[in-house]
Amino acid sequence: MHNEMTNIYKTLEATAANVLTLLQREGTRILTPNAVNSPRAVGDTVQEFLASEQGLSTCFPEWFTADFESGFARRSMEDMAFQSGTHYFAVDCKTHNLNTDFNMPNLISVRRLANFYANDTNTFCLLIVEYTVENGLIEYRNCYFKPIEALDWDCLTFGALGWGQIQIANANILHFINNIDRKAWMIELCDRIDAFYCEEIGKIGTRRQWFDNIRQYWINK
């Protein structure tokens, strides 16, 4: 399993290089001038282009695309998916404008990831495309295609939505782990979400006390 996953990680890196090359060659053509300044339009267009016949045949190995899905609902954790033997790859496509000072994108619910990773043959991947806009023209700068456990925890944080959302702390700063260890990464997830929950409990206690004081004010008014 270790050797198989090592080969898969190498395939993801090669795919990322192919994606960047294709976007640099064709990426301006697929976007209208108005769409360039809309992050959502850029994201949707890039995702649709990569899922097209040209995108798949140019960027992805044949064994990756033999069982390919796209067109998932917007609330799904994946934008596209691949099946290789018994291994399922859920892929979340992210585009990021490097001209912006700060972005904190949501990646996935901690509960959803924990349930998904209960099966060792599942992998949640991020396909991240970074770009800039200069004089109304888009320029694609970087592309990363990594399993989420390749992201170092020093560039991740949690958002207080539902059970908690894993977020990139600042999309301009990405750090990756060379020796990926899902077990160690998931154990750290559990430790960090426990600390996050303790902080949230403290915040709730402060808010409850504040409204207890407000209630008492209105009782005595």
Side-chain angles (χ1 to χ4, degrees), residues 140-153:
Y140 297 93
R141 300 293 186 178
N142 301 298
C143 181
Y144 308 100
F145 195 8
K146 306 273 190 180
I148 191 171
E149 59 268 31
L151 278 167
D152 198 318
W153 276 105

Side-chain angles (χ1 to χ4, degrees), residues 13 25 37 54 59 65 70-71 74-75 77 102 115 134-135 147 198 200 205 210-211 213 215:
E13 291 180 4
R25 188 176 73 235
N37 294 314
Q54 181 182 5
C59 301
T65 60
S70 63
R74 191 170 288 275
R75 290 180 64 85
M77 68 178 180
F102 183 79
N115 287 334
E134 304 291 342
N135 299 318
C198 288
E200 291 301 300
W210 192 85
F211 271 103
N213 294 338
R215 180 176 183 274

Side-chain angles (χ1 to χ4, degrees), residues 4-99:
E4 178 187 3
M5 290 308 299
T6 298
N7 291 333
I8 288 172
Y9 297 152
K10 291 179 180 178
T11 300
L12 297 182
E13 291 180 4
T15 300
N18 293 340
V19 168
L20 183 59
T21 298
L22 179 63
L23 288 175
Q24 288 175 336
R25 188 176 73 235
E26 303 284 348
T28 301
R29 176 185 61 79
I30 64 176
L31 284 163
T32 65
N34 289 335
V36 168
N37 294 314
S38 168
R40 171 162 286 186
V42 172
D44 289 345
T45 302
V46 167
Q47 177 186 322
E48 291 169 7
F49 179 60
L50 295 179
S52 70
E53 183 177 349
Q54 181 182 5
L56 290 174
S57 62
T58 304
C59 301
F60 301 90
E62 185 176 349
W63 63 267
F64 236 54
T65 60
D67 193 357
F68 169 79
E69 296 179 72
S70 63
F72 291 91
R74 191 170 288 275
R75 290 180 64 85
S76 297
M77 68 178 180
E78 63 264 80
D79 297 312
M80 59 178 71
F82 303 95
Q83 187 87 29
S84 175
T86 60
H87 210 109
Y88 180 79
F89 298 86
V91 182
D92 183 14
C93 297
K94 299 288 187 188
T95 52
H96 172 59
N97 185 350
L98 292 169
N99 293 128

